[in-house]
């Protein structure tokens, strides 16, 4: 009751107070000394001291207000300046190369796609809207480089360089051979020249006066070699071939040129001999097909190839290796060759003729012939006219950083034993490198001294190709003898390469250029771009068959056999992952066995690149325009994805299944799905496509 009464009394008192005040505002003012207008006479006396208060307030208050206003203004200004300083601390890369990179990152991606579902589509979904090249950026850069060489050839300006003049001469004669008004005459002259060459070598089919007593095998071998492959690293001698990989070694093995098609052989012979073909041609063709060559004694290499000219047998003889048990069969050659000299001569010279007939200019562009057959001079033109050498030191340092990241990965690997660990580190430390172009060939005329080719202005396309072929073979052997620094791995391609027989990597000049790389790029962009590619190439030293070759490039397994069961599990994980990958172009119909080596290299390359990235002080890195507030970790993965952005594959499934590289979609989605850091960066739910429960890793 007491509480209830108190509760009811309190509002009553308030009610009385408020209801008795008829003018609440006037009542308040009266308490503070305000003067009602209704009683002016009573306000005169007390107004005097209040007026003085007003004067004091005006005298002191206004300046105080002004000071307070100024202080407030100063605080605002300082705050804005501080905010501006904070904004300025976010440095942005504003070079034209960085602007191009920003353009790719902004315009190629499809924001409507969840990166945790399909990172390839998220990063590259709109690539088609901005590109016409059938392939990723490396393909695009290669095509650009080829066009630069074509422009150089079209200008046809005079040059003091023999190799540059050889390029222009080959281009001119190629175009002349494709001229419909000249084609017939040029082809007739070519066939006539090939026939005369065959007679000079000693071809019983073309020379009725040929005698077995004149047959000299070393002399025939000296005259018939031809480069066989597109990589221009194999020299065919009919009975055998020399393979010179991107290492200072010569592998001698069985020739890969086997002839089983009777009609094609008969057609070739009739094409060269015309009406002069012998009446018993059927029997002769059968003998050529039945001829089976066995390995040739290495002494013939000395006599037929290296005894004449500047080649040094002493520097080469200890670098010759048998290919696939070839040399143990060498004794059989003597009986085979001298059993019937006429059949041997017909066989050897026919193979020379057959190789000669394939030298016809391409119809889709003579600039491609120049780049294919004169790769070293073509690279020299690109480097001299279009290559920014400012990035050489950056790439050299990047190779060393990636190498260091690889060693760090091996040291921290939890499943390999000490023998495997030590062997892997030893191989990594011994791995040689070549960046762009050998500096000793930079000076004018340096390449001319090695690539000794003497062309006459009247030389036809065929004669020019013969001279180029001979000069190229000499260069290959000079590379083996260490008299020349550039091997067959140098091509005009935007790529990097690993040489298993030399344990070396070569970063080609075109890949060290915009849009794949530029010295002005932030370090994280360099690592995500060609840093990954360098890591990938280093990874080939540890794939299958890389683990069977030691630090000197010799077949000498260095891993602990006890590690093989775990290695096999990791291999099968990658194979099954690719087999079950739902590719946008081919579905779940891919074969991981074929692409295993490249997938291992990708896994190693990504692991090593991420470790290198994590060593950066990101606070010191410039941002990309439009990504100032974007996570650099996210940007790293997106830049890495742009390496493989490409349109839907134009290949048929059968053709794709023959490729050793996985699809571009898998090289983004499959690779990053195995990276724990990717899922953490994009906060992908466990079990989502880009964060599977089971991940495939290597080291």
């Amino acid at each position: 009751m007491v509480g209830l009464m108190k509760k009811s009394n309190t509002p009553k008192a308030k009610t009385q107070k408020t209801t008795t005040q008829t003018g609440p505002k006037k009542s308040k003012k009266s308490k503070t000394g305000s003067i009602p207008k209704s009683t002016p006479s009573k306000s005169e006396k007390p107004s005097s001291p209040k007026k003085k208060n007003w004067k004091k307030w005006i005298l002191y208050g206004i300046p105080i207000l002004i000071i307070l206003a100024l202080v407030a203004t100063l605080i605002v200004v300082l705050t804005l300046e501080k905010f501006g300083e904070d904004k300025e601390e976010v440095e942005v890369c504003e070079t034209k190369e960085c602007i191009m990179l920003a353009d790719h990152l902004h315009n190629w991606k499809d924001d409507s796609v969840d990166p945790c579902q399909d990172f390839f589509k998220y990063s590259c979904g709109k690539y088609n809207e901005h590109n016409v090249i059938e392939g990723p950026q490396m393909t695009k850069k290669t095509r650009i480089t080829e066009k630069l060489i074509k422009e150089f050839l079209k200008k046809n300006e005079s040059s003091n360089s023999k190799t540059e003049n050889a390029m222009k001469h080959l281009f001119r004669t190629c175009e002349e051979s494709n001229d419909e008004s000249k084609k017939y005459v040029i082809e007739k002259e070519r066939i006539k020249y090939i026939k005369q060459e065959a007679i000079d070598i000693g071809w019983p089919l073309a020379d009725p006066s040929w005698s077995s007593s004149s047959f000299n095998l070393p002399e025939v071998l000296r005259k018939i070699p031809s480069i066989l492959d597109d990589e221009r690293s194999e020299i065919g001698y009919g009975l055998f071939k020399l393979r010179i990989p991107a290492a200072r070694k010569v592998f001698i093995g069985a020739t890969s040129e086997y002839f089983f098609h009777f009609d094609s052989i008969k057609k070739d012979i009739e094409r060269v001999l015309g009406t002069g073909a012998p009446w018993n041609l059927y029997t002769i063709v059968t003998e050529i097909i039945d001829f089976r060559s066995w390995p040739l004694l290495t002494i013939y290499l000395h006599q037929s190839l290296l005894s004449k000219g500047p080649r040094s047998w002493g520097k080469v003889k200890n670098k010759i290796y048998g290919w696939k048990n070839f040399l143990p069969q060498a004794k059989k050659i003597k009986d085979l060759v001298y059993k019937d000299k006429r059949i041997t001569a017909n066989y050897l010279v026919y193979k020379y003729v057959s190789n000669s007939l394939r030298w016809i200019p391409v119809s889709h562009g003579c600039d491609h012939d120049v780049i294919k057959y004169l790769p070293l001079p073509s690279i020299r033109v690109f480097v001299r006219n279009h290559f920014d050498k400012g990035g050489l030191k950056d790439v050299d340092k990047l190779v060393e950083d990636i190498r260091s990241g690889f060693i760090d990965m091996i040291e921290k690997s939890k499943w390999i034993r000490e023998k495997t660990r030590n062997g892997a580190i030893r191989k990594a430390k011994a791995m040689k490198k070549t960046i762009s172009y050998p500096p000793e060939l930079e000076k004018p005329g340096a390449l001319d001294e090695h690539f000794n080719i003497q062309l006459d202005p009247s030389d036809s396309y065929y004669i020019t190709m013969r001279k180029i072929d001979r000069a190229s073979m000499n260069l290959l052997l000079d590379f083996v003898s260490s008299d020349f620094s550039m091997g067959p791995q140098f091509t005009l391609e935007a790529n990097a390469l690993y040489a298993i027989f030399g344990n070396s990597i070569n970063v080609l000049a075109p890949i060290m250029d915009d849009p794949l790389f530029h010295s002005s790029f932030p370090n994280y962009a360099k690592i995500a771009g060609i840093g990954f590619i360098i890591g990938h190439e280093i990874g080939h030293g540890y794939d299958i068959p890389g683990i069977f070759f030691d630090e000197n490039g010799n077949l000498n397994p260095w891993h602990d056999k006890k590690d093989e069961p775990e290695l096999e599990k990791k291999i099968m994980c990658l194979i099954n992952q690719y087999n079950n990958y739902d590719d946008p172009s081919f579905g779940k119909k891919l074969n991981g066995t074929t692409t295993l080596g490249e997938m291992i290299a990708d896994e190693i390359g990504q692991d090593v690149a991420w470790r290198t990235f994590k060593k950066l002080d990101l606070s010191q890195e410039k941002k990309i325009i439009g990504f100032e507030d974007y996570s650099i970790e996210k940007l790293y993965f997106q830049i890495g994805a742009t390496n493989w952005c490409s349109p839907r594959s134009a290949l048929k499934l059968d053709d794709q299944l023959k490729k050793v590289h996985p699809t571009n979609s898998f090289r983004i989605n499959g690779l990053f799905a195995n990276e724990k850091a990717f899922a953490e960066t994009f906060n992908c739910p466990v079990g989502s496509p880009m964060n599977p429960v089971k991940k495939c890793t290597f080291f």
Side-chain angles (χ1 to χ4, degrees):
M1 287 292 287
V2 175
L4 188 60
M5 288 176 65
K6 285 184 178 178
K7 193 172 183 181
S8 61
N9 288 339
T10 304
K12 283 183 181 178
K14 286 184 178 179
T15 303
Q16 287 176 352
K17 188 175 181 181
T18 55
T19 53
T20 55
Q21 293 176 351
T22 56
K25 289 184 179 179
K26 288 184 179 180
S27 173
K28 279 186 178 180
K29 285 183 181 178
S30 64
K31 288 182 180 180
T32 57
S34 61
I35 303 169
K37 291 182 181 179
S38 58
T39 56
S41 59
K42 292 180 181 180
S43 65
E44 289 178 1
K45 267 189 177 182
S47 67
S48 179
K50 290 180 179 177
K51 282 184 179 179
K52 290 180 180 179
N53 290 338
W54 277 102
K55 288 179 180 179
K56 288 181 180 180
W57 187 89
I58 293 171
L59 183 63
Y60 298 109
I62 291 177
I64 291 172
L65 288 174
I66 293 172
I67 292 171
L68 290 173
L70 290 173
V71 170
T73 303
L74 183 61
I75 291 172
V76 171
V77 170
L78 291 174
T79 302
L80 290 174
E81 286 182 356
K82 177 63 178 172
F83 178 75
E85 288 175 3
D86 291 342
K87 292 296 285 184
E88 288 174 6
E89 286 178 3
V90 180
E91 288 191 81
V92 176
C93 181
E94 296 180 344
T95 65
K96 65 180 186 295
E97 291 79 15
C98 279
I99 293 172
M100 180 66 74
L101 176 61
D103 174 77
H104 294 168
L105 294 170
H106 282 291
N107 292 325
W108 292 0
K109 71 173 182 172
D110 187 346
D111 287 316
S112 68
V113 178
D114 182 351
C116 294
Q117 293 295 314
D118 189 337
F119 196 64
F120 173 78
K121 194 172 181 180
Y122 170 80
S123 301
C124 310
K126 296 187 177 180
Y127 178 84
N128 269 347
E129 298 177 14
H130 303 276
N131 294 275
V132 295
I133 298 295
E134 290 287 341
Q137 287 201 86
M138 286 190 286
T139 302
K140 181 180 179 180
K141 184 60 184 180
T142 300
R143 298 293 173 266
I144 291 172
T145 306
E146 290 170 350
K147 288 182 179 180
L148 292 173
I149 298 301
K150 184 176 183 179
E151 183 181 356
F152 166 80
L153 296 170
K154 286 283 189 181
K155 286 180 179 178
N156 199 26
E157 296 174 348
S158 60
S159 173
N160 294 324
S161 168
K162 290 181 181 179
T163 53
E164 288 184 4
N165 288 331
M167 292 172 65
K168 294 171 183 177
H169 183 88
L170 178 60
F171 182 73
R172 177 178 60 79
T173 55
C174 174
E175 290 202 318
E176 286 177 354
S177 297
N178 282 326
D179 187 335
E180 290 297 332
S181 64
K182 301 177 182 179
K183 186 177 288 188
Y184 175 77
V185 175
I186 291 175
E187 176 63 9
K188 188 176 180 180
E189 287 297 318
R190 183 175 80 101
I191 297 299
K192 180 180 177 181
Y193 194 91
I194 292 173
K195 179 180 178 180
Q196 188 58 52
E197 282 184 311
I199 293 173
D200 292 342
I201 294 170
W203 198 17
L205 265 170
D207 185 6
S209 64
W210 182 88
S211 170
S212 60
S213 61
S214 64
F215 178 73
N216 184 319
L217 180 61
E219 187 63 20
V220 171
L221 291 175
R222 188 181 66 80
K223 294 178 179 179
I224 67 169
S226 296
I227 291 182
L228 303 177
D229 60 326
D230 288 341
E231 286 75 27
R232 304 189 64 72
S233 62
E234 291 185 1
I235 305 174
Y237 286 83
L239 291 169
F240 63 95
K241 69 176 179 180
L242 303 182
R243 181 169 179 244
I244 301 169
R248 301 188 190 280
K249 298 174 182 178
V250 178
F251 290 91
I252 179 172
T255 179
S256 56
E257 306 162 273
Y258 294 107
F259 302 95
F260 299 108
H261 301 291
F262 183 96
D263 290 339
S264 64
I265 297 174
K266 182 172 178 289
K267 184 178 179 181
D268 284 345
I269 294 172
E270 290 174 338
R271 184 179 175 189
V272 174
L273 300 183
T275 56
W279 62 271
N280 60 338
L281 184 58
Y282 180 93
T283 301
I284 294 172
V285 172
T286 302
E287 290 173 343
I288 290 173
I289 293 175
D290 290 342
F291 188 90
R292 291 292 180 269
S293 63
W294 290 93
L296 191 61
L297 292 171
T298 56
I299 189 63
Y300 285 139
L301 293 177
H302 177 204
Q303 293 177 326
S304 66
L305 182 63
L306 300 169
S307 60
K308 297 184 179 182
R311 264 80 264 160
S312 173
W313 172 249
K315 293 181 180 180
V316 174
K317 65 180 181 179
N318 293 325
K319 298 180 179 181
I320 297 175
Y321 300 83
W323 185 257
K324 295 183 179 179
N325 298 317
F326 185 84
L327 292 179
Q329 306 293 328
K331 293 180 180 179
K332 298 180 181 180
I333 186 65
K334 194 171 184 179
D335 293 338
L336 175 70
V337 170
Y338 290 102
K339 182 179 180 180
D340 194 317
K341 295 179 181 179
R342 182 185 60 82
I343 294 177
T344 302
N346 274 333
Y347 173 82
L348 290 175
V349 181
Y350 167 72
K351 296 192 87 172
Y352 175 82
V353 168
S354 175
N355 286 325
S356 300
L357 289 173
R358 66 186 168 87
W359 278 337
I360 55 175
V362 294
S363 58
H364 59 275
C366 289
D367 52 298
H368 292 287
D369 263 13
V370 174
I371 293 170
K372 178 180 179 180
Y373 297 116
L374 291 170
L376 303 187
S378 298
I379 295 170
R380 179 74 181 90
V381 169
F382 172 75
V383 169
R384 185 168 64 85
N385 296 297
H386 305 286
F387 181 62
D388 179 10
K389 298 175 186 176
L392 285 173
K393 290 183 179 179
D394 285 351
V395 175
D396 187 81
K397 181 180 182 302
L398 187 56
V399 171
E400 293 307 318
D401 289 344
I402 295 294
R403 189 202 304 262
S404 176
F406 176 85
I407 293 172
D408 177 63
M409 176 188 70
I410 294 297
E411 287 176 341
K412 294 178 180 177
S413 179
K414 296 180 180 179
W415 66 271
I416 58 175
R417 289 170 171 80
E418 283 307 301
K419 181 182 178 182
T420 303
R421 195 184 318 278
N422 293 336
I425 292 174
R426 185 170 60 248
K427 186 172 184 178
K429 289 181 176 180
M431 196 174 289
K432 298 177 284 293
K433 64 183 177 183
T434 303
I435 310 298
S436 174
Y437 194 83
E440 62 269 23
L441 296 177
E442 286 287 335
K443 63 179 182 179
L447 183 59
D448 293 347
E449 294 176 8
H450 294 276
F451 199 75
N452 188 18
I453 179 170
Q454 303 295 329
L455 292 175
D456 189 275
S458 63
D459 285 345
S460 65
Y461 175 83
Y462 175 75
I463 294 174
T464 302
M465 284 297 302
R466 266 283 162 223
K467 291 182 176 180
I468 289 173
D469 211 45
R470 179 67 65 173
S472 299
M473 286 186 279
N474 289 339
L475 270 189
L476 283 173
L477 292 166
D478 282 348
F479 171 69
V480 174
S481 65
S482 299
D483 293 319
F484 185 62
S485 56
M486 295 180 75
Q489 75 272 28
F490 283 88
T491 62
L492 196 71
E493 183 180 4
N495 209 340
L497 306 168
Y498 174 75
I500 190 171
F501 294 108
N503 188 32
S504 62
I505 59 171
N506 181 17
V507 184
L508 302 176
I511 201 173
M512 299 167 52
D513 198 12
D514 173 64
L516 297 159
F517 169 87
H518 194 263
S519 57
S520 68
F521 281 3
N523 287 314
Y524 58 84
K526 296 173 185 176
I527 295 169
I530 69 168
F532 161 77
I533 294 169
I534 292 168
H536 169 97
E537 296 307 329
I538 289 176
H540 275 307
Y542 305 86
D543 65 3
I544 308 296
I547 59 172
F548 296 103
F549 288 80
D550 65 16
E551 67 273 14
N552 298 313
N554 296 325
L555 186 60
N556 180 26
W558 43 264
H559 66 281
D560 194 322
K561 288 187 177 294
K562 294 178 181 178
D563 286 332
E564 289 184 358
E566 184 64 25
L567 177 63
E568 289 175 4
K569 290 179 184 178
K570 292 180 176 294
I571 286 173
M572 287 310 303
C573 184
L574 286 171
I575 291 174
N576 292 331
Q577 183 188 21
Y578 192 58
N579 289 349
N580 294 314
Y581 178 67
D582 193 1
D583 187 81
S585 296
F586 304 104
K588 295 183 179 181
K589 298 179 181 179
L590 299 169
N591 184 356
T593 304
T594 308
T595 59
L596 177 61
E598 296 297 330
M599 292 191 297
I600 292 174
D602 273 356
E603 284 296 326
I604 293 174
Q606 167 54 28
D607 192 334
V608 171
W610 178 256
R611 290 171 187 269
T612 307
F613 166 79
K614 292 300 289 181
K615 293 178 182 179
L616 293 177
D617 180 358
L618 298 183
S619 67
Q620 301 300 311
E621 295 292 323
K622 291 183 179 181
K623 294 292 189 76
I624 301 297
I625 294 175
F627 292 89
E628 292 86 350
D629 300 321
Y630 196 70
S631 159
I632 290 183
E633 285 82 0
K634 289 183 178 180
L635 200 55
Y636 168 86
F637 286 110
Q638 195 176 333
I639 293 171
T642 61
N643 283 340
W644 310 115
C645 285
S646 59
R648 182 177 291 273
S649 176
L651 295 175
K652 294 180 179 178
L653 177 61
D654 289 344
D655 295 325
Q656 178 60 45
L657 291 175
K658 298 173 186 175
K659 297 289 184 181
V660 297
H661 290 91
T663 64
N664 291 324
S665 169
F666 182 84
R667 298 189 83 169
I668 297 175
N669 285 347
L671 184 63
F672 290 158
N674 290 330
E675 180 62 67
K676 181 182 177 182
F678 175 89
E680 293 173 348
T681 298
F682 286 90
N683 197 26
C684 295
V686 176
S688 62
M690 295 304 298
N691 187 18
V693 176
K694 184 178 182 180
K695 292 177 168 59
C696 300
T697 59
F698 209 67
F699 284 116

